[in-house]
Amino acid sequence: MDEKRRNFLKITGACVLGVSLLPALKVSAAKKVTEEKGPTYKAHPKALHGKRWAMVVDVKRCQEQNKKGECRKCIEACHSLHNVPTIPNEKEIKWIWKDNFEHSFPGTAHEYVPEDFHEGPFILLCNHCSNPACVRVCPTKATFQRADGIVMMDHHRCIGCRYCMAGCPFGARSFNWRDPKLYLTQLNYDYPIRRRGVVEKCTFCDERLGEGLLPACVEACPAKALIFGDLDDPSSEVRRILSKRLSLRRKLEVGTQPNVYYLV
Amino acid sequence: MFDRVFTKSGDDFKKLLKLLSVFIGLGFICYLFQYYRGLGITGMSRDVSWGLYIAQFTFLVGVAASAVMVVLPYYLHNFKAFGRITILGEFLAIAAVSMCLLFIIVDLGMPHRLFNVLRYPTPNSILFWDMVVLNGYLLLNILIGWNVLDAERMGVAPPKWVKPLIYVSIPWAVSIHTVTAFLYAGLPGRHFWLTAIMAARFLASAFSSGPALLILLALFIKKRTKFDPGEEAIQALAKIVTYALIISVFFVLLELFTAYYSQVPGHTNHFNYLLFGLHGHAELVPWTWLSNILAVVALALLINPNTRKQEKTLKIACFATFFSLWIEKGITLVITGFIPNTFETITRYIPTIPEVFITLGVWSAGFFILAVLYKIAVSIKEELGA
């Protein structure tokens, strides 16, 4: 009886070991196949390449456009393209939005700041910091930085711990507290909808850059107040403007090195 | 040894377990609701993205870490009086860490992806290290507590491999609360948490709230069972609570000095919100002052040797200590980090009813574990004493 039991345990053990090793064997086999075939993914021929993508916001132009009637073109373009739901309370989700000077640059505003400047609007979005705190704190690498500086979200890896939200000093991240589909009236089938339980944010339209297009907000702005380019390229438009006009960045004192500049 | 839970328990104990089960059940039902509807059913928001769950977790890590306050004197300094209650400290740690882990799980937006933390280990994230130290501490206490108790029951010395684990568990206990403090203390732009003294503050408050709870539990056991943890042990613990609470209050005063003498708005804003209210928002002001008053009452009762030595006043002091620090860690510290938010505006946070029930459910689960473990320990101690 005991002998039988020992044999049973031996066989079961071997089976369990075999089954658990199987995935590893499969992976190594799969590796061989792809090595033989070479890469299956090729970049779009027109894809834009940069070393440090940045955005310059010309606040004056934005203000002028805004005065002609409340302008929300950049926000609408971004949010409709990326299936960002409109949730009317503090559980909102936003990739790009407007706020006044005081909230955008806390501690910088004073009572003698020109009135129209005080009001803004300042276009706020993820700063794609060179030293992003959100990437540092994420426990699963669901938030990561690409070589070109874009801070990305892997919505399939995010566990929804919201540590990145605590880490971001700019309030640039939103969490899907509820199913976003409930708050979407129109869907863009070319871009995925997130599920509830994950964090999301602006990605500088990485999917458009890959096809040689500028970010949707830049393209949609009627006043050309948003300028996008590669800071590493001395001949780029962003470098030209920054060397000519004085610009501000948000919360420099916290050391994350934001890559969104505000011309004043 | 688990059989003792069924064979040795009286009617009152069974009633207690039933009551806790009811709360666990209610919490679980609310959790199912949260699981199907998302964390949207809680009072958390884009601005206050951590709430009651993470705050409870933060407080309970302290309770767990406090076991070291009985383990260290007993094993390193051979303080014999703690021999009788070491197991109570270790089992309290097991229950507290279990609650911590449950609170983290109920707070996740994607709980089924929990193991992504293991699948993609990320050493630059403090949350990764918190997961490592918390689970390690749980395992250490289960191994140590269980084996030492089992050996005691058999009347033999514990296995040799347990000793090194005990020594490892001492710095490990410090590490769990230090790492948890680092979750907060290293974030740019969150001025309330961005303070080097955070880990020290966490340890000081832990070493008073945890032993305070242990005293209350020991007194309860003394009253309800034949096992007496011993007057000397309780009094020694009371002194630990006293000194730790003095240091804890001192550390808070240091924070207040830095904020109010420097008058840097980023620092004062949060304390203003806590103590006096800010821009017409004063949700936490009553809590803060209740916590302050309880701390003062506790200090008065603990510092005076006469009141510390009397069981009745000691009990009040321990209740006051525990609730004062529960408010501080379990309510105000975490939430105030987000208020005012990164835009210097205020978003209120009020927990919802399901959120409160889930929280109660996790607490009940912890006390269920604690009750079962204490039943086993106490029944063995009773047997040996008899």
Side-chain angles (χ1 to χ4, degrees), chain A residues 28-153:
Chain A
S28 62
K31 238 184 200 168
K32 248 184 200 165
V33 173
T34 49
E35 270 166 14
E36 279 163 15
K37 272 190 187 167
T40 50
Y41 171 77
K42 253 188 197 155
H44 196 284
K46 283 184 188 161
L48 297 179
H49 299 284
K51 284 198 175 138
R52 190 145 62 100
W53 292 118
M55 177 95 75
V56 175
V57 181
D58 192 331
V59 182
K60 272 264 150 51
R61 279 192 197 174
C62 189
Q63 270 175 346
E64 277 159 21
Q65 186 64 33
N66 207 45
K67 269 180 202 154
K68 289 180 193 167
E70 237 238 322
C71 177
R72 295 179 54 84
K73 292 265 164 62
C74 55
I75 301 169
E76 278 156 14
C78 169
H79 285 190
S80 63
L81 182 67
H82 297 119
N83 295 317
V84 177
T86 311
I87 303 170
N89 58 28
E90 68 276 9
K91 289 188 168 64
E92 66 187 330
I93 290 176
K94 46 190 185 186
W95 287 24
I96 177 167
W97 69 102
K98 290 196 272 193
D99 210 331
N100 62 23
F101 184 46
E102 209 179 331
H103 295 161
S104 312
F105 295 84
T108 314
H110 56 80
E111 52 188 313
Y112 308 113
V113 168
E115 191 134 330
D116 53 340
F117 191 71
H118 225 293
E119 283 306 309
F122 286 82
I123 298 295
L124 304 183
L125 65 161
C126 170
N127 282 290
H128 298 278
C129 307
S130 294
N131 179 22
C134 53
V135 171
R136 188 156 64 238
V137 300
C138 177
T140 61
K141 302 188 189 91
T143 296
F144 61 98
Q145 191 165 33
R146 305 202 317 188
D148 59 5
I150 295 182
V151 177
M152 292 288 294
M153 267 305 300

Side-chain angles (χ1 to χ4, degrees), chain A residues 90-91 103 106 136-137 139 141 155-163 165-166 169 171 174 177-178 196 251, chain B residues 35-36 39-40 42 44-46 49-50 107 109-110 113 116 120-122 124-125 183 190 342-345:
Chain A
E90 68 276 9
K91 289 188 168 64
H103 295 161
R136 188 156 64 238
V137 300
K141 302 188 189 91
H155 301 113
H156 299 282
R157 194 185 275 199
C158 176
I159 58 171
C161 69
R162 309 185 299 289
Y163 199 8
M165 294 177 83
S174 308
W177 298 100
R178 294 224 169 92
R196 66 164 161 72
K251 295 195 183 176
Chain B
Y35 191 83
Y36 286 109
L39 280 162
T42 68
M44 290 184 271
S45 61
R46 195 180 190 274
S49 50
W50 281 343
D107 188 65
M110 286 277 167
R113 291 185 188 163
N116 277 7
Y120 313 105
T122 313
N124 49 279
S125 174
L183 284 179
R190 303 281 176 190
T342 54
F343 311 100
E344 302 275 308
T345 59

Side-chain angles (χ1 to χ4, degrees), chain B residues 76-267:
Chain B
L76 283 193
H77 303 290
N78 202 19
F79 183 67
K80 287 274 184 332
F82 276 171
R84 296 173 74 80
I85 58 164
T86 322
I87 192 69
L88 298 185
E90 282 160 351
F91 280 177
L92 177 60
I94 292 175
V97 179
S98 308
M99 282 189 258
C100 291
L101 295 172
L102 282 173
F103 272 119
I104 292 179
I105 291 168
V106 299
D107 188 65
L108 290 181
M110 286 277 167
H112 53 284
R113 291 185 188 163
L114 178 72
F115 287 101
N116 277 7
V117 180
L118 289 174
R119 291 173 68 199
Y120 313 105
T122 313
N124 49 279
S125 174
I126 300 293
L127 208 57
F128 167 75
W129 291 110
D130 214 34
M131 182 275 301
V132 171
V133 291
L134 281 176
N135 285 296
Y137 193 62
L138 181 62
L139 192 67
L140 276 176
N141 275 288
I142 291 174
L143 285 176
I144 295 167
W146 199 258
N147 280 294
V148 170
L149 189 67
D150 202 29
E152 202 175 319
R153 179 176 67 101
M154 313 275 251
V156 293
K160 268 193 181 145
W161 52 267
V162 173
K163 201 88 186 190
L165 290 186
I166 291 171
Y167 291 131
V168 168
S169 82
I170 293 169
W172 204 290
V174 177
S175 83
I176 63 166
H177 220 24
T178 306
V179 173
T180 304
F182 285 174
L183 284 179
Y184 302 99
L187 300 179
R190 303 281 176 190
H191 296 287
F192 189 59
W193 297 335
L194 192 68
T195 160
I197 208 176
M198 193 61 98
R201 254 182 84 183
F202 269 51
L203 287 172
S205 69
F207 293 159
S208 45
S209 61
L213 180 60
L214 201 52
I215 291 176
L216 292 171
L217 291 169
L219 289 175
F220 179 79
I221 286 169
K222 187 180 150 190
K223 199 175 155 196
R224 298 302 300 262
T225 71
K226 278 178 246 155
F227 170 56
D228 182 4
E231 184 66 15
E232 196 191 348
I234 288 173
Q235 277 305 315
L237 270 178
K239 276 181 204 136
I240 289 172
V241 176
T242 311
Y243 286 111
L245 186 61
I246 292 171
I247 296 169
S248 177
V249 170
F250 176 63
F251 283 169
V252 174
L253 293 175
L254 295 184
E255 297 260 36
L256 290 174
F257 172 80
T258 305
Y260 286 108
Y261 194 79
S262 71
Q263 298 183 17
V264 174
H267 292 273

